[in-house]
Structure formats: structure tokens, C-alpha cells
Amino acid sequence: MSTTATTKPVPITVAHGDGIGPEIMDATLRIITAAGAQLAIEPIEIGEAVYKRGLQSGIEPASWESLRRAQVFLKAPITTPQGGGFKSLNVTIRKTLGMYANVRPCSSLHPFVSTKHPNMDIVIVRENEEDVYGGIEHRQTNQVAQCLKLISRPGSKRIIRYAFEYARVNNRKKVTCFTKDNIMKITDGLFHRTFTEIAAEYPQIESEHWIVDIGAAKMADTPEAFDVIVMPNLYGDVLSDVAAQITGSVGLAGSANIGDHCSMFEAIHGSAPRRAGQNLANPSGLLHGALLMLVHIGQSDAAERAHNAWLRTIEDGVHTYDIYKDGVSKKKVGTAEFADAVIARLGEKPQVLKPAAYARGVSMDLSMRKAGPVPQKQRVGVDIFLDVPAGNPDALGAALQRLHVAGTRLTTISNRGTKVWPDGNPDTYWSDHWCARFEGDGGTFSAAHTIALLEAVSRAGFDAIKTEGLYTFNGERGFSLAQGE
Ligand code: NAD
């Protein structure tokens, strides 16, 4: 058959999960094993039962050891109990094990599964660790709360290189980047600039950038215009669900969470508790996660056999309830019978749909290339954020100008990013969250200036809720201007 037959069993950690999890995991493992996958399975328990034993994280310490040892994790969906401060296990696992890339192929199965987009075949590559998902949030005034959006250069380089390497190895023609860098020029701007730099190393692959709003609209309307799309975390979170949904069903998609050491493979849907234990659920999403896993561990032959048999099953109209449609489908089956139907077709190929063809013998080169020279960083000022409940820009400007800290000057005051002093617009709404920007008065601006300003501000009776240093990098401004500045 293949190299697969002679491959030594690869250790993988498997969690059967909650709700429909055990049924779809059994079906998935039966299919891939019959297709020739060589796996040494280490089962672990995660999810509801573990949460109920009082572990807020939903995972036992011993399970971490299995994950670190095997480095490959096939995970069925779990139920996160409502309320009670339980942590999302998925986020915990991804972040703890450094799974920086989320990969979600979404292709339509027209005419066998109804979709408005018969020619859709895209892969969303989502950055998985950064952006607002650090969950670093603060409420510092009565009226205003904030969430910190962090985008790093190494984090961007790594995910963008992953997207291009994925395209190269899987013979994809184009990589598109979505950001909102017309507004977030520094954070999303960094992601976009990094994309442009890395794209230059792949002249054989077309590259393009879209602003995320219009890009998302285009993707929902004409997905066939895209191939691989790489995005920061939040846009990727939202748009990967949109992409899966418009193929016809979220129940069909799988995803991979890739890290340098450990990777996790799963269905994108949840544990569907109402369908549990009834032999109803469609195992296709988890099967797709498992196919990504087989390619990841070098068992592409088994992945291809299982994938082609699955395509043939779908073509033959053997469908679970979620995709069953009178006139198109031929036979409504349960989870176990669907798996049997796929296994019975191993060795066959689809006749209408494009057969799966996984790359062999080409591996990704994800080495982080040498970092460029460290730029010259210079402090040029400070933003001091103030909680002033009944503030008024002119009074605040006058009071802050009276602080007289030598070597500094107040340059602007803004409120939620809009300049209100000097020369503010009377129609601008003011919250209690103000930002006073101080810069050097002719000379250099030091940390001592920041400390002196903070002391002066608090002596004057203001509540300074936070500071942000203002820096330039090789002379380039590393901070945004306020709207209207
Ligand atoms: P869900 O994805 O479980 O269900 C949404 C809808 O899709 C339901 O109507 C369900 O019946 C249907 N559905 C889902 N998977 C299906 C399948 N394989 N075959 C047929 N129909 C399927 O989402 P939900 O109801 O919002 O969440 C249920 C539980 O799952 C919650 O506890 C949630 O926290 C958890 N969840 C877990 C994961 C994960 O472990 N990765 C992801 C999402 C949600």
C-alpha cells in the first residue's frame, strides 16, 4: 500500500471528550486505523468530569505529561460548564503548549452538500497566541474599560512564514493577508509590513493584502477569489467560523493548532450535548482534524485513503442528519454507520469532487530567520492617563500646564483617542478617561521626566491611572496620534 504500512506506530494523546465526543472519536479512529494509520494511542480524560472534580482548568496534571511526551493531540469536543469561573480548556492548552498557528481548511462539497459557493476551497491560517487574546484587560475609571492588543514581530513572522510554507508545501497559489492597518497602523501595521517582507521570499506564490472588513465581505460573497488567508487572532477567530459555515456546514470542518513542540487536532464544532449518545452526530469534522494530524506526523498515504473514501461516501449520498437533504442524499445514517460506509470505500476515489492529494517528501521550513539589526530606540515623551470624572478639556489643559516640570511640555489631551485640547471640537463626547501627552521641551526626554511628571500630577490631586512611554525607533514614531491631532 504505502510507506504508512511500514511506519512505526506514532504515539498520540487522545481525548474522547464530552457530549457527542466519544461517538465521533470512535468513528474517526476506526476510519483512520482502517486506512492504515499507525498510531500508539495514549488516552487522557479532559473536560466536564475533570471540571466537576474541582479542577478549574479541566485537565489533570498527568495529562500534561502525556501531551508533552506524545506532542500530538487528537481531541474531541468538550463541554465547558457554564459560570463558576471555569477556564476555557482550549485556550489553556493552546497557550500553555505554544500552539501559535490555527489552520482551518474549508472547501465546499457541491453538489452533495448545499452551499451558495460551489467552488470554495480556502485555508484560514490564524495567529493563535497574540492580539487581544492575552486577555489583558483593565477597568481604571468608572466609565471606561480597556483590552490590550499585543502584536509582536516574531509572532507575526512565525505565523506568516507558516502560511507561506503551508502554501508552498500544499501547492497553493496565493496567500492573502487581512488586517485593519488603516486604523491600527502600529499593531496591524506591523503584521502587514511583516507580511510584505516575508512574501518577498516567496516570489512563486502570489500575495495580496485586504483591509479585513472589505476582505471579509469579499470572502463571504466570493470565497473562490481566495486561497490561503493569514490573519491576526481576532479576525481569524471570527472569519474561520464564517468560512466553515459558508461551505455548507460547520459540522464538516476540522482544524489544526500547530506549535513548535506540540500540536492539537480537532473538529471546529462543540460537544452538541443534545445530540449525545444517540448515534446521530456527524464525525466528519473530527475526521478532518485527524487527517490534518496524519499529514503532520508524516502519514499522508493513510490521510489520502481516508479522505478519498470519505469524499466518495459523501458523493454516494450516505449522509448524517445534519447534511441530509431529500433529493440529494440517498441514505440517512448514524455516526457508526457513516464510519462503516467510509471504511467500505477505502481504496476508492471520488468521481465528481476533486480527489485529495497530500504532499509527500516536502517538509516545511519554519526556521526563524536571523532577526534584523536592533533599531535605535529613543524615549521622546509620556502619555499619562487620568481619571477625571467631571473633566473639561480647557480646565484640564490649564491645570496640567501649571505643573511646570522642567524639560517637558504638555502637547495634547485626548479622550478615548480623540484630541480635545488644544482646539478641541465642542461636539466631541468626553468620558472620564483622559490622556495627557507630555513631550520633551527642546531637549531629550528621560525616565526621570516621567517620574517627575507623575509626582507633579498626583501632587495636583489627579488620579494617574496609567502611563505609556512614547518612543521612536530609528526615528520612526512608535505611537499613534490622536484623531484630529
Ligand atoms: P455545538 O457546536 O456543540 O453545537 C451547535 C449546533 O451544531 C447544534 O445544533 C448541534 O447539534 C450541531 N452540531 C455540532 N456538531 C455536530 C455534529 N458533529 N454533527 C451534527 N450536528 C452537530 O455548539 P454549542 O451548542 O454552542 O456548544 C455546546 C458545548 O460545546 C458547550 O459546552 C461549549 O462550551 C462546547 N464547545 C466546545 C468546543 C471544543 O471543545 N473545541 C468548541 C465549541 C463549543
Side-chain angles (χ1 to χ4, degrees):
M1 180 183 61
S2 62
T3 49
T4 306
T6 54
T7 309
K8 206 167 140 249
V10 172
I12 64 165
T13 304
V14 168
H16 283 72
D18 300 317
I20 58 170
E23 299 159 73
I24 59 174
M25 182 60 85
D26 284 347
T28 297
L29 291 175
R30 277 206 294 128
I31 294 169
I32 60 174
T33 309
Q38 300 291 310
L39 305 170
I41 291 171
E42 279 189 30
I44 61 165
E45 189 186 35
I46 55 167
E48 215 173 6
V50 182
Y51 284 119
K52 285 190 177 153
R53 284 205 288 275
L55 271 116
Q56 297 266 318
S57 61
I59 178 166
E60 305 269 8
S63 301
W64 286 113
E65 280 162 34
S66 170
L67 292 175
R68 286 197 195 96
R69 196 169 43 242
Q71 301 182 354
V72 179
F73 184 25
L74 182 62
K75 176 185 155 294
I78 57 149
T79 303
T80 312
Q82 295 288 307
F86 297 106
K87 293 250 164 46
S88 156
L89 181 58
N90 263 12
V91 177
T92 305
I93 292 176
R94 278 183 209 153
K95 294 191 77 164
T96 307
L97 298 176
M99 296 174 183
Y100 63 89
N102 181 271
V103 185
R104 188 178 290 186
C106 297
S107 33
S108 53
L109 297 160
H110 174 82
F112 306 101
V113 175
S114 313
T115 167
K116 298 187 186 92
H117 305 291
N119 299 316
M120 171 172 182
D121 181 15
I122 64 180
V123 180
I124 307 269
V125 177
R126 160 191 170 193
E127 199 288 317
N128 224 4
E129 292 182 300
E130 302 195 338
D131 199 343
V132 289
Y133 287 71
I136 307 171
E137 295 192 292
H138 297 92
R139 173 177 164 187
Q140 294 146 327
T141 74
N142 183 32
Q143 294 175 343
V144 177
Q146 69 168 30
C147 177
L148 203 56
K149 168 163 169 145
L150 294 173
I151 303 275
S152 78
R153 188 166 158 70
S156 303
K157 270 174 102 163
R158 196 150 67 148
I159 190 70
I160 292 163
R161 182 164 306 287
Y162 186 92
F164 277 97
E165 282 294 307
Y166 183 96
R168 182 178 68 78
V169 166
N170 292 287
N171 212 11
R172 296 269 174 171
K173 305 288 176 246
K174 183 166 78 170
V175 180
T176 305
C177 174
F178 283 1
T179 73
K180 186 79 185 171
D181 70 335
N182 53 335
I183 301 297
M184 285 160 279
K185 297 186 169 71
I186 296 182
T187 47
D188 280 20
L190 174 60
F191 196 89
H192 184 175
R193 276 203 308 279
T194 308
F195 177 80
T196 308
E197 272 168 39
I198 291 180
E201 295 177 29
Y202 295 86
Q204 74 284 15
I205 298 171
E206 196 188 331
S207 63
E208 62 177 9
H209 172 266
W210 288 68
I211 298 294
V212 62
D213 41 24
I214 189 65
K218 177 83 174 173
M219 187 195 81
D221 182 63
T222 323
E224 56 277 15
F226 298 106
D227 194 343
V228 175
I229 314 180
V230 64
M231 292 179 246
N233 206 343
L234 178 61
Y235 314 140
D237 190 358
V238 177
L239 292 182
S240 54
D241 270 16
V242 174
Q245 181 71 53
I246 63 177
T247 61
S249 168
V250 269
L252 297 175
S255 85
N257 293 281
I258 307 288
D260 284 337
H261 305 293
C262 192
S263 299
M264 172 168 80
F265 303 85
E266 58 184 343
I268 69 164
H269 58 73
S271 56
R274 284 193 310 119
R275 309 286 179 193
Q278 299 159 61
N279 189 35
L280 278 175
N282 187 345
S284 300
L286 186 60
L287 176 64
H288 276 105
L291 298 179
L292 292 167
M293 175 190 78
L294 292 177
V295 176
H296 180 79
I297 61 176
Q299 299 190 10
S300 296
D301 290 328
E304 209 168 278
R305 272 168 65 78
H307 197 161
N308 281 326
W310 176 82
L311 287 167
R312 186 60 186 264
T313 310
I314 296 288
E315 276 188 358
D316 287 347
V318 181
H319 293 170
T320 42
Y321 83 93
D322 55 314
I323 55 170
Y324 185 90
K325 199 167 179 195
D326 285 332
V328 179
S329 308
K330 303 262 164 46
K331 192 173 174 196
K332 193 186 274 182
V333 289
T335 316
E337 294 72 32
F338 183 82
D340 294 340
V342 177
I343 292 167
R345 287 165 179 77
L346 286 168
E348 293 181 35
K349 289 203 167 161
Q351 293 175 320
V352 178
L353 298 167
K354 197 170 128 213
Y358 288 105
R360 289 167 182 74
V362 236
S363 51
M364 291 198 192
D365 174 8
L366 296 171
S367 50
M368 291 288 268
R369 311 282 148 88
K370 221 169 76 218
V374 179
Q376 178 95 38
K377 178 181 173 188
Q378 195 187 349
R379 187 196 307 266
V380 295
V382 66
D383 279 346
I384 301 183
F385 289 78
L386 304 169
D387 179 357
V388 186
N392 137 357
D394 289 334
L396 195 55
L400 293 173
Q401 278 184 308
R402 281 197 295 275
L403 298 179
H404 291 308
V405 172
T408 73
R409 80 192 161 87
L410 178 71
T411 53
T412 51
I413 300 174
S414 55
N415 194 301
R416 292 164 307 128
T418 304
K419 188 192 81 166
V420 292
W421 181 96
D423 309 322
N425 185 316
D427 294 330
T428 305
Y429 175 76
W430 312 319
S431 74
D432 55 8
H433 191 272
W434 305 81
C435 171
R437 176 162 290 180
F438 294 90
E439 294 179 56
D441 193 14
T444 54
F445 190 100
S446 68
H449 285 120
T450 298
I451 294 164
L453 278 165
L454 272 174
E455 280 171 353
V457 162
S458 48
R459 261 199 315 276
F462 290 107
D463 180 11
I465 51 179
K466 71 161 185 163
T467 64
E468 295 285 355
L470 305 179
Y471 299 95
T472 58
F473 295 82
N474 284 346
E476 190 184 324
R477 188 164 38 79
F479 49 94
S480 52
L481 300 179
Q483 296 288 337
E485 193 171 347

